[in-house]
Amino acid sequence: MSGWIVASIMYTIGEFAAIGRVSVRMLRHYDAIGLLPPARVDEHSGYRWYSDAQLGSLLLIVELRQLGIGLDAIAAVLASDDSRPALTAVLRQRRAELAAGIADDRNRLDRLERRLRLLEGTEIMTTPVEYRALEPVTVYAVSGTAPGMGPELVGPMVGPLIGALDQALEASGRPLLAPSVFWYEARDDERLEVHISYPAETPPRPGDGYEVVDLPAVPLAATLLHRGDMTGIGDSWMALMERIAADGYHVTGPTREVYLKATGHTPGPDWLTELQAPVTPTPPPPDPLHQFRSCVRRGTACRVHNSGRDCVGGRWDPAADADDMPAAGGLYGAARGRGPGGSRRRSSRARGRRREASCPRR
């Protein structure tokens, strides 16, 4: 009807929060960041009042937050002149993020299940570890520094480095030869040097935007073939390192990844990557019995070889050692002049002056 004035319904902050199924504290937060300010604030009491026209915005905020969409993206939707295309873009972006998260979780679940099968003995590693020498190779390389180790820190660097190397080599007229070689060097500050390279032609030609690097020969390296994309390469590296330790070796230099079969720059199920780790045999631990016999030959008996504890100030302490002395014989007894049954073969005068004995240096 003409001439009628339709009054807007106003809600207190408590009533408005109950309708939207949010807390009063959350509405105050939305007001503080400018996302959903109240329609009116009483200048005397400071009470907040919301209009029924704001219900749509509140319900949209609640729905988008439940979908995991950030407040900045929601604010952009509410501020747009045409909310439909803005909302559509935000929803599509969130759908892509969720799909990627599901794929990552599926990969983690597959890796976890395979790890359990290996531990339970229902699956064995089909790719053997091979030990062999590596020939020297000259490469064209670019480098970058990752903030740390792990696929989540190294992965974002690889694409830009490959693009920069491709562009530099093409600008210099150099061919992109295969197989490409990546190698990694740990820094003292926990960061990681990442090197991307292609084999150089003979003779190599220097140019702008890349370095000519001579990768040295490796007398002995442990190698393992990784098949497929990069989602499971961490498991392959772990398997290689476990095998190296089990075989009595340790890593002595930068590890490498050689991409023997790789089409394009997007890893796929048909990729074949050789993992290489320079190794050397791990020396056996020192023989405590050999050290003890050396101590005996010197005519000494320190607490290190008696009880396994440290000497006092690097010297044998008679008072501290009194409680540790065996009751009968043994190696310690032989070193201190006891017979097989623990009897002493020294005079009473010798028993009365126990001298200090230097602890052998270790």
Side-chain angles (χ1 to χ4, degrees):
M1 292 182 173
S2 60
W4 282 42
I5 299 176
V6 179
S8 175
I9 299 175
M10 303 296 290
Y11 301 96
T12 65
I13 189 172
E15 294 170 338
F16 200 60
I19 294 173
R21 296 183 180 273
V22 297
S23 65
V24 170
R25 181 184 62 82
M26 189 59 65
L27 281 181
R28 292 195 179 105
H29 176 62
Y30 292 162
D31 179 19
I33 64 176
L35 183 63
L36 186 62
R40 182 171 65 87
V41 178
D42 190 283
E43 60 182 4
H44 300 292
S45 64
Y47 287 172
R48 295 174 172 85
W49 295 87
Y50 293 84
S51 69
D52 55 353
Q54 295 179 288
L55 282 175
S57 296
L58 175 61
L59 297 177
L60 179 61
I61 292 171
V62 172
E63 180 186 10
L64 295 183
R65 289 299 292 152
Q66 290 174 348
L67 294 175
I69 297 174
L71 293 177
D72 290 340
I74 296 174
V77 172
L78 295 179
S80 62
D81 296 332
D82 188 352
S83 63
R84 181 179 292 271
L87 179 59
T88 301
V90 166
L91 291 177
R92 286 177 175 170
Q93 175 65 27
R94 183 55 181 161
R95 180 177 62 183
E97 294 171 354
L98 290 174
I102 292 172
D104 290 342
D105 287 342
R106 170 54 60 184
N107 288 331
R108 293 189 187 96
L109 182 59
D110 291 342
R111 291 169 57 190
L112 186 149
E113 290 177 347
R114 182 173 183 272
R115 186 69 173 172
L116 284 174
R117 292 194 299 269
L118 290 172
L119 290 174
E120 295 166 354
T122 58
E123 179 178 333
I124 61 174
M125 184 179 296
T126 57
T127 304
V129 173
E130 178 184 358
Y131 293 91
R132 72 173 195 274
L134 302 180
E135 297 293 331
V137 59
T138 301
V139 297
Y140 297 136
V142 294
S143 305
T145 304
M149 299 184 184
E152 70 281 358
L153 300 177
V154 177
M157 295 193 58
V158 172
L161 286 175
I162 292 176
L165 181 57
D166 287 358
Q167 184 177 1
L169 293 178
E170 290 172 359
S172 299
R174 305 272 65 78
L176 303 182
L177 302 179
S180 58
V181 181
F182 295 5
W183 73 96
Y184 308 93
E185 296 180 271
R187 294 170 41 136
D188 293 338
D189 58 3
E190 299 186 357
R191 292 189 293 173
L192 187 71
E193 292 292 337
V194 181
H195 307 270
I196 310 294
S197 73
Y198 294 110
E201 73 268 39
T202 304
R205 299 176 182 272
D208 295 333
Y210 64 89
E211 294 181 289
V212 177
V213 178
D214 293 318
L215 294 178
V218 177
L220 185 63
T223 67
L224 182 144
L225 291 176
H226 170 77
R227 303 178 188 275
D229 58 22
M230 298 298 103
T231 55
I233 198 168
D235 288 339
S236 296
W237 272 116
M238 183 180 299
L240 178 60
M241 294 302 170
E242 289 177 351
R243 179 63 181 275
I244 288 172
D247 289 346
Y249 294 92
H250 64 277
V251 178
T252 57
T255 57
R256 305 177 187 176
E257 294 173 1
V258 181
Y259 293 86
L260 302 176
K261 183 180 179 183
T263 303
H265 292 325
T266 302
D270 59 337
W271 277 36
L272 183 62
T273 308
E274 184 176 69
L275 313 183
Q276 301 176 343
V279 296
T280 191
T282 300
D287 182 7
L289 183 59
H290 173 74
Q291 293 182 346
F292 178 83
R293 286 169 176 165
S294 298
C295 175
V296 172
R297 284 196 295 270
R298 294 188 184 98
T300 63
C302 67
R303 299 187 71 220
V304 172
H305 300 127
N306 176 35
S307 63
R309 296 195 295 272
D310 290 339
C311 298
V312 178
R315 305 281 291 179
W316 176 61
D317 182 7
D321 196 44
D323 295 335
D324 294 326
M325 187 177 293
L331 290 173
Y332 181 82
R336 295 293 296 151
R338 294 174 181 268
S343 61
R344 294 183 180 272
R345 294 189 302 222
R346 298 193 301 171
S347 66
S348 59
R349 180 180 180 185
R351 288 197 300 269
R353 61 171 196 271
R354 300 174 65 186
R355 66 179 181 85
E356 279 191 344
S358 299
C359 174
R361 296 184 179 274
R362 292 185 297 166

